[in-house]
Amino acid sequence: MRLDRWVELMWRDLLELVRAPAALSVPGDAIAGAAAADCVSGRTAGLAAASVCLYYAGMAANDWADRELDEIERPERPIPSGRVTPSQALTVASGLTAAGLGIAALAGGRRALSVAVPLTAAIWAYDLKWKNTAQGPAVMAACRGLDVLLGASGGRITRALPTAAVVAAHTYVVTELSRHEVHGADASLARKTLPATAAIAAAATSLTRPSGTPSRPARTSGMSGVDKGAAAALSGWYLKRFGTAQRKVMDKPNAEHVRAAVGAGIMALPALQGALTARQGRPVLGALVALGAALGKRLARRAT
């Protein structure tokens, strides 16, 4: 085999290992958090890059930790299929973890590291201990909530807590569904998660800027209608995409429909993040974040 062809295949395997297209759902965490804390700036891009590295690290560590289980349930994954060795996966996970922490330090200094370190600990704890337990969804929700707060670390983090809670709630729902990807679920699961998704969409639309947030002349009452309208439209997009997939689980709760619902939940997250960003006075930025949902869907199709 030619060297260039071998390198191409190796990169494809590594991209599959870290589930590359799903990372489009990550930068919106930092942006939504920064918007809520009123600290969107150039460093937000750096914090988003750190989040992507930590997300990829978590995906690689996840496959490394589940390599024996995947031999039975997902033999096509890179490690059980022999395309990536366990040591390679662990090296990738460790390297990306170091890169994520380093970028966070460069972009946000000690304040960013004060969030990035517990975020990293939560990611590895989920992969190594909590994933296949009843506590798994809560731990994963905490990871996403901390990711939002990482973006807010340049401002007053407490102002981003409501935004982090909404993203965490969505993550809990997706993770709870993901526990049934292999063997399917009972229809009652979707009867619980679908109303929760509707409540999450409503919260993203109604969330207000916390009291004490400095007002900005360009985003005063004259823009409030635009902010609300953009947030409502993006929340509706999120609910339609994720909710439709859950309705199919409700009608036929087999593994295929559950996996599709999990994928829809991941790829609909940018729309939710966009709604949260728009509601904090940045409708254009929110719309740009939400475009990740459409782009993610296209990339996911190409990857399959």
Side-chain angles (χ1 to χ4, degrees):
M1 182 183 296
R2 286 170 24 190
L3 178 61
D4 58 343
R5 178 60 176 165
W6 180 83
V7 171
E8 179 185 354
L9 291 174
M10 180 187 69
W11 275 107
R12 284 186 181 180
D13 294 337
L14 291 177
L15 290 174
E16 184 181 346
L17 176 73
V18 299
R19 297 168 176 82
L24 287 169
S25 71
V26 177
D29 285 345
I31 295 171
D38 209 18
C39 62
V40 176
S41 66
R43 72 176 58 189
T44 304
L47 295 174
S51 294
V52 170
C53 287
L54 293 176
Y55 181 89
Y56 281 158
M59 291 297 101
N62 170 77
D63 273 26
W64 178 81
D66 280 357
R67 60 193 184 279
E68 294 179 358
L69 180 63
D70 283 348
E71 287 183 0
I72 301 171
E73 296 184 346
R74 297 181 179 91
E76 75 283 355
R77 291 294 300 161
I79 294 178
S81 66
R83 290 175 289 132
V84 174
T85 67
S87 61
Q88 286 174 332
L90 186 59
T91 298
V92 168
S94 301
L96 286 169
T97 295
L101 290 172
I103 294 171
L106 289 173
R110 292 182 180 179
R111 286 176 60 88
L113 277 178
S114 69
V115 181
V117 169
L119 169 58
T120 299
I123 290 171
W124 279 86
Y126 173 81
D127 287 333
L128 300 181
K129 182 176 181 179
W130 299 110
K131 178 185 176 183
N132 297 314
T133 70
Q135 293 76 32
V139 177
M140 179 53 72
C143 291
R144 277 289 190 171
L146 285 168
D147 202 34
V148 173
L149 297 182
L150 178 60
S153 61
R156 290 181 60 181
I157 291 181
T158 54
R159 291 174 178 163
L161 288 175
T163 295
V166 172
V167 174
H170 164 80
T171 305
Y172 187 98
V173 170
V174 174
T175 310
E176 186 63 41
L177 284 166
S178 73
R179 298 180 65 204
H180 304 273
E181 284 183 300
V182 176
H183 303 294
D186 188 271
S188 62
L189 176 61
R191 285 197 288 268
K192 296 175 182 177
T193 61
L194 185 54
T197 301
I200 290 166
T205 303
S206 60
L207 198 65
T208 57
R209 294 173 69 84
S211 59
T213 301
S215 61
R216 295 192 177 201
R219 299 185 207 133
T220 55
S221 58
M223 289 291 290
S224 62
V226 175
D227 301 342
K228 292 178 181 178
L234 294 173
S235 292
W237 183 14
Y238 158 79
L239 179 58
K240 182 178 184 299
R241 184 166 186 185
F242 191 21
T244 298
Q246 290 177 74
R247 283 295 301 270
K248 291 181 180 179
V249 174
M250 191 182 300
D251 295 337
K252 191 175 181 180
N254 58 25
E256 179 182 358
H257 285 164
V258 173
R259 284 194 296 270
V262 172
I266 293 171
M267 294 306 175
L269 179 54
L272 178 65
Q273 295 160 333
L276 291 165
T277 302
R279 197 64 184 84
Q280 297 301 322
R282 295 182 178 269
V284 175
L285 184 58
L288 291 174
V289 169
L291 287 177
L295 184 57
K297 186 175 182 179
R298 286 189 175 186
L299 290 178
R301 285 176 176 173
R302 288 186 178 183
T304 57

